[in-house]
Amino acid sequence: MLEVHKAVFPVAGIDTRFLPATKASPKEMLPVIDKPLIQYAVEEAIAAGITELIFVTGRGKRVIEDHFDESYEVEHVLKARGKQCLVDLVHSITPPEVKCIYVRQAEPLGLGHAVLCAEKLIGDEPFAVLLADDLLDGQPPVLAQMVHLFSHYDSSVLAVEEFESYDASSHGVVGGQHWDERVISVSSIVEKPSPEAALSSFGAAGRYVLMPSIFEHLHSLKPAANEEIQLTLAIHSMLKDEQVLAYEFVGKRYDCGTKLGYLQATVDFALRHAEVHDAFGTWLRERVRGMQPDPGVQPQAH
Ligand code: UTP
């Protein structure tokens, strides 16, 4: 039975959708309440048994390294002020048995290219890929669900979710045969098709468990100059040689690469955050009540 110990976090994108917030700071450091997106993804990976975290970084992403590093100055000041629980909070971001490794993608040449940058560090083992701007909220954590399925079938597994048909153009969309309620044997995958060309209503959701053979397929892609290397195309190429499964995970996806998804995550997480859920819930209910049209006033016909 194959095991998954390594995870790749591609964080070298150019983050255009959150400009100007992401001009000097990566989108993966945007907080949902008090934790950056990348930390949610790292915690999900660790909960799935991952012990080696490989971050593919780019320009302006240094702050991610700092976030997972020791912070002696901050800890020293907090200790001196007697704030031990805050010391523990910043100290325990990654447990000691977990190793963080950073590799640089010199140019943002696409997600497939970012994964290729980690090839030497992965070697000949299966590995996970987590896109931190997809915040997946599941119990058990979504990557743990996927690793479980992977170890059962020894096949690559892609997380998918059902989407509205008009939304096909923002997903990698899979086609294939349902094996059971949640598992699809993939026969095709297409990156961001038009709604008419979509193979199904199941789209990739930012989590992958991949066989190392993906690297051969990434190498065999021949993108035109200035064209990105797409992970989706390499997965499609893999289908000629081996089985790939799509898994409709148990949980909820927040697309925090978009403003709407980011706001939805913020509200849902705030409504169950130990410190603010009461006060925020009360405020939100009043706010929503204030937005209802007054039942005594009829809408005007124009
Ligand atoms: P996106 O498609 O969301 O692109 O990348 P982006 O540049 O991050 O953001 P927008 O669309 O311009 O706002 C999906 C994931 O792939 C990583 C990104 O960091 C993100 O996690 N990525 C993308 C890379 O690491 N390198 C790349 O060349 C492209």
Side-chain angles (χ1 to χ4, degrees):
M1 192 174 77
L2 290 167
E3 291 187 350
V4 188
H5 301 293
K6 297 180 181 178
V8 177
F9 298 85
V11 291
I14 41 179
D15 307 343
T16 52
R17 286 174 291 175
F18 266 95
L19 284 169
T22 50
K23 184 177 171 209
S25 168
K27 77 172 160 194
E28 293 81 7
M29 287 301 292
L30 290 171
V32 170
I33 318 298
D34 49 10
K35 222 193 274 183
L37 288 170
I38 188 70
Q39 192 177 333
Y40 286 98
V42 159
E43 288 175 0
E44 185 187 331
I46 293 172
I50 302 291
T51 50
E52 209 167 291
L53 314 174
I54 301 166
F55 298 87
V56 181
T57 70
R59 277 168 57 82
K61 307 280 177 158
R62 199 57 176 272
V63 60
I64 294 177
E65 246 170 281
D66 292 342
H67 184 73
F68 291 104
D69 205 354
E70 302 279 345
S71 179
Y72 296 109
E73 301 86 341
V74 174
E75 285 184 33
H76 179 76
V77 172
L78 292 173
K79 257 187 210 146
R81 292 183 184 171
K83 307 220 177 235
Q84 189 56 40
C85 59
L86 290 181
V87 175
D88 296 342
L89 198 69
V90 293
H91 188 75
S92 62
I93 286 180
T94 49
E97 67 279 10
V98 171
K99 197 156 97 184
C100 296
I101 304 170
Y102 300 88
V103 56
R104 188 107 169 172
Q105 185 187 25
E107 265 185 279
L109 295 175
L111 176 58
H113 182 263
V115 171
L116 261 182
C117 292
E119 182 181 10
K120 290 218 163 59
L121 295 164
I122 298 290
D124 195 24
E125 309 183 23
F127 63 102
V129 177
L130 295 95
L131 307 186
D133 55 351
D134 271 332
L135 176 52
L136 299 194
D137 184 28
Q139 204 47 256
V142 174
L143 191 67
Q145 298 174 33
M146 295 170 69
V147 165
H148 181 74
L149 190 72
F150 171 83
S151 57
H152 192 70
Y153 290 104
D154 283 349
S155 299
S156 297
V157 179
L158 325 175
V160 293
E161 68 162 1
E162 200 162 8
F163 57 84
E164 303 289 342
S165 57
Y166 59 79
D167 210 16
S169 56
S170 56
H171 287 80
V173 177
V174 303
Q177 190 89 36
H178 259 99
W179 274 1
D180 68 27
E181 209 192 324
R182 296 197 174 270
V183 181
I184 301 169
S185 171
V186 178
S187 57
S188 193
I189 177 164
V190 180
E191 182 69 16
K192 302 188 171 102
S194 62
E196 309 75 56
L199 303 159
S200 73
S201 51
F202 290 96
R207 298 291 182 277
Y208 307 80
V209 178
L210 296 170
M211 285 295 195
S213 54
I214 190 71
F215 292 118
E216 290 159 36
H217 297 279
L218 283 166
H219 281 295
S220 70
L221 298 178
K222 300 267 175 286
N226 300 326
E227 223 177 61
E228 294 194 344
I229 297 183
Q230 288 181 12
L231 183 60
T232 303
L233 279 180
I235 295 172
H236 186 77
S237 160
M238 222 178 174
L239 294 170
K240 297 191 298 278
D241 303 335
E242 56 190 279
Q243 174 175 277
V244 174
L245 302 176
Y247 170 62
E248 202 189 341
F249 60 90
V250 181
K252 185 164 169 48
R253 167 179 178 254
Y254 298 91
D255 181 359
C256 292
T258 68
K259 294 176 182 78
L260 180 63
Y262 180 72
L263 288 169
Q264 289 165 339
T266 303
V267 171
D268 278 355
F269 278 62
L271 287 173
R272 55 187 152 95
H273 189 282
E275 203 180 312
V276 296
H277 72 101
D278 267 352
F280 182 68
T282 305
W283 176 84
L284 188 63
R285 275 188 293 277
E286 279 167 15
R287 185 79 184 80
V288 170
R289 222 174 285 130
M291 286 161 69
Q292 303 293 330
D294 183 336
V297 179
Q298 294 300 313
Q300 303 260 314
H302 289 285

